[in-house]
Every structure is written in C-alpha cells, then in structure tokens.
Amino acid sequence: QVQLVESGGGLVQAGGSLRLSCLASGSIFSANPMAWYRQAPGKEREWVAKISTNSRTNYANSVTGRFTISRDNTKKMVYLQMNSLKLEDTAAYYCNMIHLGTAYWGQGTQVTVSS
C-alpha cells in the first residue's frame, strides 16, 4: 500500500520561499517518478513539476525558474523548493505517484501567499 504525506505548507509573503516535503511509504519509491500538483479554489488541479527515477526534472511554465523538485530515494522523500512566490501560487499542493497504472495522492498541504 502506498501512502504519501505532504508537509511544509503555510502562509508566506509574496517574494518569499517555502519548501514542501512528501514522505512516501512502501518499498517502491525509487522505482517510480514523482510529481507535485496544485489546486486553487474553484480551479482544476494542475501539474506543477515532476521528477523521474534518475532525477530528470520538468516544470510547468508558470513555475519554471522559481520552483525546484528533488528527491532522496534513501529517505523516500520528494521535495518542492518554491522561491519568489506569487499570489497566484496560492493553492493546496499535492504529492503524486503513479505505480502500475494507479495514481496515488497525498492529503495535500496548503500554501497561501499574501501581498
């Protein structure tokens, strides 16, 4: 059974930084790509960033140059370093893993950016 638990969200001023973490249970972590998504109130969930098993990364245009995704396979952790935060980054952020065709999600962590 895969479980994902996010942490690190909070309230931050525009221009500030936050680091989100996601802890994965199970022994399959290193064999799967990981991703972060976010969902703002009244909007659909959108993809933010992904990292492959060999740490190749991709980012949504809206966060390129500001966010960095990374992983530590020994700790079964994936991180999202968010810098130069903007008001429009306010959302619930979710960790995601797809394993054998099944998508697993964490419970989400709220990021609120204030002016």
Side-chain angles (χ1 to χ4, degrees):
Q1 183 72 16
V2 175
Q3 287 189 322
L4 304 173
V5 179
E6 304 97 334
S7 60
L11 175 64
V12 63
Q13 285 191 327
S17 298
L18 279 176
R19 188 195 195 203
L20 305 183
S21 300
C22 174
L23 174 63
S25 64
S27 61
I28 60 172
F29 178 79
S30 62
N32 292 276
M34 299 293 296
W36 285 96
Y37 285 72
R38 66 186 181 186
Q39 186 168 18
K43 295 187 177 181
E44 293 187 354
R45 190 170 296 189
E46 65 174 357
W47 168 72
V48 175
K50 65 180 179 181
I51 185 166
S52 69
T53 55
N54 61 358
S55 295
R56 182 175 179 176
T57 59
N58 294 91
Y59 299 93
N61 289 338
S62 59
V63 306
T64 296
R66 300 188 299 122
F67 290 12
T68 302
I69 188 171
S70 61
R71 66 190 296 161
D72 185 333
N73 290 338
T74 60
K75 297 181 179 179
K76 299 182 182 178
M77 296 285 289
V78 62
Y79 306 98
L80 187 67
Q81 178 66 43
M82 306 185 297
N83 298 329
S84 302
L85 283 161
K86 304 177 180 179
L87 297 178
E88 52 264 42
D89 294 319
T90 294
Y93 283 72
Y94 298 88
C95 182
N96 167 267
M97 173 195 290
I98 296 180
H99 175 63
L100 298 179
T102 299
Y104 295 91
W105 299 92
Q107 83 289 350
T109 186
Q110 179 67 36
V111 172
T112 302
V113 183
S114 65
S115 59

